[in-house]
């Protein structure tokens, strides 16, 4: 009977251990985004629920509660310490966005759980083992993120190994580590290696068998990928769970054969605490080295442009595919936004001096900015508008005689007339930009450019896919000294929705430090090859290198947009950097992020790129920041292992590492100051979960609205996080159908902004108004529950109505009498002899509020959540002339009323 009880207890412990190990390995893979393509928020939530389930599964809450209430002080303290560590780990997961900190929270949680269980006399050796393994994995992740050469070695190993296996099985394969499953394999390798060392490195044969078993599992998985027939590119990720499950076979076999008799998570005690003993303990110095080295490797000194000097950016405007035109009235629909003309504009408003060098200024201006008619002719622009794509394309030609341009290109950039690039031209330049170069620089120009970089200048190169316009050879010749080259391919996301956002991976560097994935507007460009001395900065983790097709000349040599065996899939390089002499080089395989239509979203990335390029950061600092911390990490490990004194409880190590990462998180924004932009700025808020598509190239976005604001010399910028400081430096802030309720502090910030002369445009219908009511109540406004729908009803006579404003889902505005405010009707419609107000401007009443005598701001309310969307104003293939004119009239009227400057 006793033996039966013992067997049941043993079986229960084995089951619990297996579940704990499985959950932690699953969580590590989820947080690493190894198993499937999805948003990081989803895997974070999934991981938190798994960890909560593990805590509930392991903790005996009744006994824990008893220990806290009735036990002696020492035992209660032990329980309390464990609970605090568990809570602290979950706080880290919930409040931070850093993957590095996410991983460090896991060993903290496991140490806390183990200490809490020890307080009720339950010892789970697998928790200590998992705590150490997850800590080592966190260090590994930090190394891969901060040492690009390590990532590159792993990527090349995966490509080479899968290619070799493919050759053996007769299936051409070229799989990056994210597709081949190598990152998943590494989590199991780190776990088993940790077990080996913690068990005294005994039974080496079993350890070798385990490694061979894991390798066989990987080979089996690669073979499955090789023989599988994928209906869509994203289907390739459907097989990752097979590798994850297979790897448990050699892992659990190994664990079943080793004896776990170590202890790492002793509970801290302060009874015999002596400051002298602490400093004599080698483990203390190991902690100090860990702290310093972790901060050093994750911070970015000598980054960001000098405040006391104006950075000069010179663009090469010759021999390129593309144009420098800007949005203007008379060009609508497809290509109406122009290409690169607004890049110098945004930069000049961000404190940079900009110039463009061309070989013939007159020709350049005629090509990009043909002669325009007087602004008075704008009133006739609707006469020329057509409703089919052919006419839209015709209207984008230079022959169109109805162009009205409100942005004067030469007001914000200087045109330099020169037949070639000379040393004199580059003498006062900090950053030289080359875009879509389709004619090779001469040998003398090539030498001048690279001497400029060698002596501390910076080079930014932007190119595109599949040798379009013959640019691949020219760009690769230029970039040869940097060791970066363009492939004859197009880099595509394999996300099922064909979006890059879930497929990006940012290396830990100054350029990407402040970015979210929505700030990078890469579309279809080339992937990059890198060599010695160059490094990846932005990676298409779940991306495809779709080989070009020389026979497909009608579609710019593009491939078939499908994965074909032999094409690289996974971990393609989208942007890379290099140091050359004292200078810096950055290369993008796609120009989309720098085009006029995308800068409103990608401006944070542009600021990061040009800040890094204009910094004093050099290769010596880059190497020192990697080599010195590695030496310190190794020294810390040796000191800890060789220390003869009592070891410090292991839980302190992930806590110290966490402190280091939090420190670097606070230091980096100081070291990389955010670039301030001033001028005619419009912020488009997206922090209140507004109802519009953040992908500007797709339907239901605000790209048409923003394009029309550009035509009026206003520069739109997406505001992903509500910022009072940003609002105060803008002319207009737009909220389109917010669904997250305005907080009291946000309403106060908006009122302060309006008091200071700002204009708030709020578009919301009755269905969405709840979130906006705290703001509407302040101004005595409401939306009535009377659905008017799409007014006017244009189906009766579309041609007649196309010159008039058109609403989509309108509701009447209720104007309440509120002391201190005056509301003007900006637009109303009569239906059955009843007037319905659809747009109002509410301002402070100067007569009842003398303190606002010089006040000019106001709230412009549009009672239609869909009025500002592309489908109602302007998209690639369609537009509504009446709304284009209407928006122009609104801006003009606000200026006439001195509401806008």
């Amino acid at each position: 009977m006793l033996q039966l009880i013992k067997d049941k207890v043993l079986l229960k412990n084995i089951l619990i251990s297996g579940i704990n190990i499985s959950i932690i390995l699953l969580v590590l893979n989820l947080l690493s985004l190894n198993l499937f393509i999805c948003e990081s928020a989803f895997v974070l939530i999934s991981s938190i629920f798994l960890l909560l389930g593990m805590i509930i599964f392991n903790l005996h809450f009744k006994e824990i509660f008893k220990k806290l209430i009735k036990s002696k002080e020492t035992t209660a303290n032990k329980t309390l310490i464990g609970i605090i560590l568990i809570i602290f780990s979950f706080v880290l997961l919930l409040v931070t966005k850093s993957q590095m900190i996410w991983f460090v929270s896991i060993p903290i949680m496991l140490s806390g759980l183990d200490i809490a269980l020890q307080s009720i006399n339950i010892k789970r050796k697998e928790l200590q083992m998992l705590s150490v393994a997850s800590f080592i994995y966190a260090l590994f992740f930090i190394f891969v993120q901060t040492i690009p050469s390590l990532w590159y070695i792993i990527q090349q190993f995966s490509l080479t190994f899968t290619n070799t296996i493919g050759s053996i099985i007769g299936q051409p394969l070229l799989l990056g580590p994210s597709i081949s499953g190598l990152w998943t394999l590494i989590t199991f390798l780190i776990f088993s290696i940790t077990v080996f060392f913690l068990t005294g490195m005994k039974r080496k044969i079993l350890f070798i068998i385990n490694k061979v078993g894991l390798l066989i599992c990987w080979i089996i998985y690669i073979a499955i990928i090789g023989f599988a027939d994928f209906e869509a590119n994203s289907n390739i990720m459907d097989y990752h769970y097979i590798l994850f499950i297979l790897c448990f076979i050699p892992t659990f076999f190994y664990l079943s054969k080793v004896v776990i008799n170590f202890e790492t998570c002793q509970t801290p005690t302060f009874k015999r605490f002596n400051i002298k003993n602490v400093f004599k303990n080698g483990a203390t110095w190991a902690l100090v080295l860990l702290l310093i080295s972790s901060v050093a490797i994750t911070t970015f000194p000598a980054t960001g442009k000098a405040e006391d000097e104006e950075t000069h950016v010179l663009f090469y405007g010759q021999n390129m595919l593309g144009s420098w035109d800007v949005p203007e009235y008379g060009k609508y629909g497809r290509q109406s936004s122009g290409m690169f003309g607004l890049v110098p504009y945004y930069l000049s408003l961000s404190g940079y001096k900009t110039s463009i060098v061309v070989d013939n200024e007159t020709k350049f201006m005629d090509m990009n900015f043909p002669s325009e008619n007087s602004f008075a002719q704008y009133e006739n622009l609707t006469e020329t508008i057509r409703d089919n794509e052919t006419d839209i394309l015709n209207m984008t030609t230079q022959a169109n005689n109805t162009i009205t341009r409100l942005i004067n290109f030469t007001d914000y950039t200087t045109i330099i007339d020169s037949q070639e690039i000379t040393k004199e031209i580059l003498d006062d330049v900090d950053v030289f930009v080359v875009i879509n170069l389709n004619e090779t620089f001469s040998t003398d120009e090539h030498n001048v450019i690279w001497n400029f970089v060698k002596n501390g200048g910076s080079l930014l190169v932007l190119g595109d896919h599949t040798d379009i316009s013959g640019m691949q050879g020219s760009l690769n010749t230029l970039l040869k000294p940097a060791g970066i080259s363009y492939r004859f391919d197009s880099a595509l996301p394999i996300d099922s929705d064909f979006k890059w956002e879930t497929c990006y991976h940012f290396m830990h560097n100054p350029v990407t430090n402040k970015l979210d994935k929505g700030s990078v507007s890469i579309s279809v460009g080339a992937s990059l090859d890198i060599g010695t001395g160059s490094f990846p900065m932005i990676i298409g983790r779940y991306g495809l290198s779709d080989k070009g097709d020389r026979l497909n000349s009608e579609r710019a040599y593009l491939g078939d947009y499908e994965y074909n065996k032999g094409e690289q899939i996974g971990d393609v390089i989208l942007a890379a950097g290099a140091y050359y002499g004292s200078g810096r080089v950055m290369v993008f395989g796609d120009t989309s992020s720098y085009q006029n239509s995308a800068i409103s979203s990608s401006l944070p990335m542009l600021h990061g790129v040009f800040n890094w390029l204009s910094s004093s950061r050099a290769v010596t600092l880059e190497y020192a920041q990697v080599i010195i911390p590695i030496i310190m990490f190794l020294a810390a490990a040796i000191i800890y292992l060789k220390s003869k004194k009592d070891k410090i409880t292991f839980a302190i190590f992930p806590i110290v590492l966490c402190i280091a990462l939090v420190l670097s998180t606070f230091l980096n924004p100081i070291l990389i100051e955010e670039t301030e932009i001033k001028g005619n700025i419009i912020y488009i808020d997206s922090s209140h979960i507004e109802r519009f598509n953040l992908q500007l190239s797709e339907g239901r976005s605000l790209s048409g609205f923003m394009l029309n604001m550009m035509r009026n010399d206003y520069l739109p910028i997406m505001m992903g996080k509500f910022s009072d400081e940003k609002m105060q430096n803008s002319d207009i802030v737009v909220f389109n159908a917010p669904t997250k309720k305005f907080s009291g502090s946000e309403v106060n910030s908006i009122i302060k902004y309006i008091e200071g002369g700002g204009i708030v445009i709020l578009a919301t219908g009755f269905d969405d108004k709840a979130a906006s009511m705290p703001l509407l109540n302040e101004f005595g406004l409401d939306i009535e529950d009377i659905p008017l729908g799409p007014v006017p009803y244009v189906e009766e006579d579309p041609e007649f109505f196309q010159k008039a404003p058109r609403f989509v889902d309108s509701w009447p505005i209720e104007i309440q009498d509120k002391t201190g405010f005056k509301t003007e009707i900006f637009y109303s419609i009569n239906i059955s002899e009843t007037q319905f107000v659809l747009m109002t401007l509410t301002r402070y009443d100067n007569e009842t509020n003398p303190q606002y005598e010089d006040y000019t701001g106001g709230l412009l309310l549009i009672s239609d959540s869909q009025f500002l969307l592309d489908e109602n104003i302007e998209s690639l293939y369609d537009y509504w002339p009446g709304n284009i004119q209407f928006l122009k009239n609104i801006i003009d009227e606000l200026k006439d009323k001195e509401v806008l400057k």
Side-chain angles (χ1 to χ4, degrees), residues 378-391:
Y378 172 76
E379 296 178 2
N380 298 320
L381 82 89
T382 53
E383 303 277 335
T384 67
I385 295 178
R386 304 289 184 266
D387 58 359
N388 61 73
E389 184 183 352
T390 303
D391 286 329

Side-chain angles (χ1 to χ4, degrees), residues 754-758 843-847 849-858 897-901:
I754 292 176
E755 289 176 350
R843 307 167 67 186
Y844 282 95
D845 188 348
N846 294 338
E847 295 180 2
N849 292 278
Q851 68 270 32
Y852 297 122
E853 183 177 352
D854 299 324
Y855 166 76
T856 57
K897 293 176 179 291
E898 296 185 347
V899 181
L900 278 175
K901 298 178 182 179

Side-chain angles (χ1 to χ4, degrees), residues 743-788:
S743 67
S745 61
E746 289 173 338
V747 170
N748 291 334
S749 293
I750 293 172
I751 291 174
K752 178 184 174 184
Y753 171 68
I754 292 176
E755 289 176 350
I759 284 291
V760 172
I761 298 177
L762 171 62
T764 183
F766 177 83
D767 292 341
D768 303 315
K769 76 168 186 176
S772 302
M773 285 311 298
L775 181 60
L776 293 176
N777 288 333
E778 287 290 328
F779 292 88
L781 298 170
D782 200 352
I783 310 292
E784 296 185 71
D785 186 10
I786 303 175
L788 302 178

Side-chain angles (χ1 to χ4, degrees), residues 362-395:
T362 302
K363 181 180 176 182
F364 173 82
M365 293 301 293
D366 285 344
M367 181 179 296
N368 293 281
F369 309 98
S371 299
E372 58 190 55
N373 293 27
S374 66
F375 290 170
Q377 287 184 314
Y378 172 76
E379 296 178 2
N380 298 320
L381 82 89
T382 53
E383 303 277 335
T384 67
I385 295 178
R386 304 289 184 266
D387 58 359
N388 61 73
E389 184 183 352
T390 303
D391 286 329
I392 292 172
L393 294 174
N394 288 337
M395 292 184 68

Side-chain angles (χ1 to χ4, degrees), residues 700-757:
R700 300 189 65 78
S701 76
L702 297 182
S703 58
F705 168 74
M706 290 190 280
L707 178 58
N708 278 277
M709 294 300 101
M710 291 176 188
R711 291 192 181 112
N712 286 279
D713 198 14
Y714 288 92
L715 298 185
I717 301 172
M718 298 300 298
M719 185 168 66
K721 183 178 180 181
F722 186 87
S723 169
D724 180 64
E725 183 181 356
K726 286 182 178 179
M727 284 201 314
Q728 300 303 329
N729 290 324
S730 68
D731 293 324
I732 302 174
V733 177
V734 179
F735 300 93
N736 189 79
T739 61
K740 177 185 174 184
K741 193 172 185 178
F742 286 100
S743 67
S745 61
E746 289 173 338
V747 170
N748 291 334
S749 293
I750 293 172
I751 291 174
K752 178 184 174 184
Y753 171 68
I754 292 176
E755 289 176 350

Side-chain angles (χ1 to χ4, degrees), residues 334-405:
R334 194 187 191 98
Q335 302 177 358
S336 61
S337 61
M339 293 196 73
F340 307 112
L342 291 181
V343 177
Y345 197 180
Y346 275 93
L347 289 178
S348 66
L349 295 181
S350 302
Y352 293 87
K353 175 185 176 183
T354 63
S355 303
I356 298 179
V357 59
V358 298
D359 64 4
N360 187 313
E361 182 177 353
T362 302
K363 181 180 176 182
F364 173 82
M365 293 301 293
D366 285 344
M367 181 179 296
N368 293 281
F369 309 98
S371 299
E372 58 190 55
N373 293 27
S374 66
F375 290 170
Q377 287 184 314
Y378 172 76
E379 296 178 2
N380 298 320
L381 82 89
T382 53
E383 303 277 335
T384 67
I385 295 178
R386 304 289 184 266
D387 58 359
N388 61 73
E389 184 183 352
T390 303
D391 286 329
I392 292 172
L393 294 174
N394 288 337
M395 292 184 68
T396 63
T397 66
Q398 296 161 21
N400 182 20
N401 61 2
T402 61
I403 297 298
T404 300
R405 189 177 303 115

Side-chain angles (χ1 to χ4, degrees), residues 586-660:
M586 188 163 186
V587 182
F588 278 80
D590 181 56
T591 63
S592 298
S593 298
Y594 294 81
Q595 293 183 19
N596 297 342
S597 58
I599 304 180
S600 58
S601 294
S602 62
L603 185 63
M605 189 194 75
L606 265 67
H607 283 162
V609 168
F610 283 97
N611 279 351
W612 180 71
L613 290 172
S614 58
S615 70
S616 59
R617 194 172 176 87
V619 66
T620 50
L621 176 61
E622 193 76 19
Y623 285 155
Q625 202 173 349
V626 170
I627 295 172
I628 294 174
I630 287 178
I631 293 173
M632 295 176 74
F633 272 119
L634 292 174
I638 293 170
I639 290 172
Y640 179 74
L641 294 173
K642 295 295 183 181
S643 175
K644 295 181 180 179
K645 297 285 183 181
D646 293 335
K647 300 286 193 301
I648 293 177
T649 180
F650 175 77
I652 298 177
F653 281 85
I655 292 173
V656 168
L657 181 57
C658 176
I659 292 171

